[in-house]
Amino acid sequence: MGTEEELRRWPTDGSEEEMDEEDEEWEEEEDDEEAQEEDWEEEEDETFDDELSTGPETLGPTEAPLPREGFKAGFIALIGRPNVGKSTLMNRLLGRKLSIISPKPQTTRHRILGVKTLPQAQLLFLDTPGIHRAQVLLNREMVKAALKAAGEADLILWMVDAEDPFTDDDQLILEALQKARVPLLLAINKVDLVKKETLLPLIERFRQRLPFKEIVPISATEGDNVERLEELLITYLPEGHPFYPEDQLTDRSERFFIAELIREKVHHFCHQEIPYAVAVEVESFKERKERPLVEIQATIYVEKDSQKGIVIGAGGRMLKKIGEIARQEIEAFLGTQVFLHLWVKVRPAWRKDEHALKEFGYFQR
């Protein structure tokens, strides 16, 4: 038997907090599996090659009229191994937080579109999950999402970590990019953490491996050279119509980003295997008519009762902390006050369950 925890948190207006419990049965938990495995199955190699060799496809809604001659528009896939800074870079380029970030690897699980419209161009950034050697079903689907984005893009921006640029996962990406049919750019990230004299040999080493159009040292966190990178990305985009209205930022729903913000707080406050075993689903989203308030009900899923206890915390304190900080960011995102209900439930071995992955929006087939 497990317990169901509800956190009810009114906006910061002096109102009350309430926490209830209910019992609910779940199947016996299965042993969970590490998020990363050493084996890379043959079908994944074939998928990688097929996706990157197909060339760009048309994405997005019907094209708008061409605003003026020479306008450029296209999809830019941000690819790289886990925790290399792809989400941080996209947020920096967009000038606002769209993708969640965490020091822990494999935070990004979906392909996330970020739209930036300028007078001369519309840049459609595709933030992708980290590419790595994966065997767990969830992780394999994450890698497929990244490969699919790369196969659909007009331009690929590969990001590497200046501190550790030649890992096994980087080698995997390097080999796959041999088949890419669109312009390739390389961003060497986190250059603020290394000595400047190491950069030129590193750049030359990469130039010998792939025909990059440009290699740009950057710091996504500090913003170093990011404007220059954006200028170069525009240079290599094709001319064409904008794909989205100039005031549109993404193609994802508010529910999606609310779930991501909650999951981000679990990443920040919980450790060990907990963040990798968590999925978040927004059950309801209701706007109150009598006052500017949105009522949100969301469930945090874990794989074990022991994980559930950690997320809830002693006396519900961990869940309360997650809810309070998530609510503040959701209010900033929606621009209104939020009444957030959070539950924690066990769904055994959901990362290996095809039905669960489809339900949570992870399955690519």
Side-chain angles (χ1 to χ4, degrees):
M1 299 288 287
T3 60
E4 178 178 308
E5 293 286 342
E6 175 188 5
L7 174 67
R8 299 186 176 182
R9 173 71 178 177
W10 284 96
T12 51
D13 57 1
S15 48
E16 298 179 351
E17 300 173 6
E18 180 180 350
M19 187 172 292
D20 298 326
E21 296 185 358
E22 291 182 7
D23 289 336
E24 188 162 346
E25 288 190 12
W26 292 93
E27 296 178 2
E28 190 167 343
E29 66 188 52
E30 301 177 14
D31 292 336
D32 76 350
E33 195 168 343
E34 292 296 328
Q36 287 190 301
E37 298 287 347
E38 293 300 324
D39 297 330
W40 178 258
E41 297 187 5
E42 183 176 347
E43 66 176 83
E44 265 55 42
D45 288 328
E46 294 172 354
T47 302
F48 210 140
D49 293 344
D50 292 343
E51 292 287 2
L52 288 177
S53 61
T54 55
E57 300 177 4
T58 300
L59 295 175
T62 304
E63 295 175 344
L66 188 66
R68 63 182 179 83
E69 187 178 354
F71 190 86
K72 294 191 170 186
F75 290 85
I76 304 166
L78 309 180
I79 69 166
R81 62 182 173 87
N83 210 32
V84 78
K86 300 180 297 295
S87 297
T88 301
L89 176 61
M90 188 172 82
N91 290 343
R92 170 74 66 175
L93 288 162
L94 295 175
R96 65 167 293 177
K97 180 178 178 179
L98 195 63
S99 291
I100 65 172
I101 56 175
S102 165
K104 301 178 179 69
Q106 300 170 30
T107 301
T108 301
R109 290 178 176 172
H110 301 265
R111 187 278 289 159
I112 299 175
L113 171 68
V115 181
K116 183 169 186 177
T117 303
L118 301 169
Q120 75 278 25
Q122 187 174 80
L123 298 89
L124 308 170
F125 298 106
L126 299 173
D127 186 17
T128 64
I131 295 172
H132 60 287
R133 300 178 185 272
Q135 189 171 4
V136 175
L137 187 56
L138 168 63
N139 295 68
R140 291 171 61 181
E141 292 303 313
M142 289 161 54
V143 172
K144 285 180 183 178
L147 302 179
K148 187 172 188 293
E152 293 171 340
D154 300 286
L155 181 63
I156 295 175
L157 177 64
W158 179 23
M159 293 184 65
V160 297
D161 187 334
E163 290 190 295
D164 189 15
F166 291 103
T167 67
D168 289 344
D169 291 334
D170 290 310
Q171 183 62 35
L172 176 69
I173 298 168
L174 179 68
E175 293 170 1
L177 288 178
Q178 304 285 345
K179 295 181 177 291
R181 296 172 56 189
V182 297
L184 299 174
L185 280 78
L186 178 70
I188 302 177
N189 193 26
K190 306 183 184 180
V191 297
D192 54 310
L193 303 179
V194 300
K195 295 180 179 180
K196 290 184 179 180
E197 56 265 29
T198 65
L199 292 178
L200 286 179
L202 183 58
I203 290 171
E204 183 57 31
R205 190 174 174 186
F206 274 107
R207 283 198 190 280
Q208 294 174 3
R209 282 163 170 75
L210 277 176
F212 294 106
K213 296 294 185 181
E214 305 285 348
I215 298 178
V216 188
I218 66 166
S219 170
T221 301
E222 301 299 326
D224 298 343
N225 228 19
V226 171
E227 289 186 9
R228 176 58 179 161
L229 175 62
E230 181 180 285
E231 293 171 358
L232 292 170
L233 291 173
I234 294 172
T235 299
Y236 294 100
L237 283 178
E239 291 190 8
H241 299 258
F243 287 80
Y244 293 89
E246 64 180 26
D247 59 348
Q248 185 166 342
L249 182 65
T250 186
D251 61 348
R252 293 282 185 173
S253 67
E254 289 178 334
R255 282 176 177 245
F256 172 83
F257 288 107
I258 289 166
E260 286 287 273
L261 287 171
I262 295 168
R263 188 168 66 86
E264 180 186 53
K265 303 316 163 198
V266 177
H267 267 256
H268 280 300
F269 295 121
C270 298
H271 305 289
Q272 297 177 345
E273 85 280 5
I274 302 297
Y276 306 106
V278 163
V280 178
E281 188 170 35
V282 175
E283 310 285 352
S284 70
F285 181 99
K286 297 179 181 178
E287 297 185 34
R288 294 277 185 91
K289 294 182 179 180
E290 66 276 11
R291 58 183 295 190
L293 177 71
V294 174
E295 185 173 352
I296 298 167
Q297 300 184 39
T299 300
I300 300 171
Y301 288 97
V302 294
E303 292 187 317
K304 298 179 178 181
D305 283 322
S306 59
Q307 295 168 345
K308 177 179 178 179
I310 292 171
V311 173
I312 294 171
R317 285 191 289 273
M318 177 60 75
L319 186 60
K320 179 179 179 180
K321 182 189 294 186
I322 291 168
E324 285 179 343
I325 304 303
R327 177 184 55 78
Q328 293 170 15
E329 290 208 21
I330 294 168
E331 287 181 339
F333 178 75
L334 297 177
T336 188
Q337 291 185 314
V338 168
F339 180 9
L340 179 62
H341 308 253
L342 287 181
W343 288 267
V344 179
K345 296 182 180 180
V346 176
R347 184 146 183 178
W350 68 263
R351 288 179 291 174
K352 298 180 282 185
D353 182 344
E354 183 174 320
H355 177 75
L357 293 180
K358 288 179 179 178
E359 183 179 328
F360 295 146
Y362 293 126
F363 212 73
Q364 297 299 312
R365 294 190 181 92

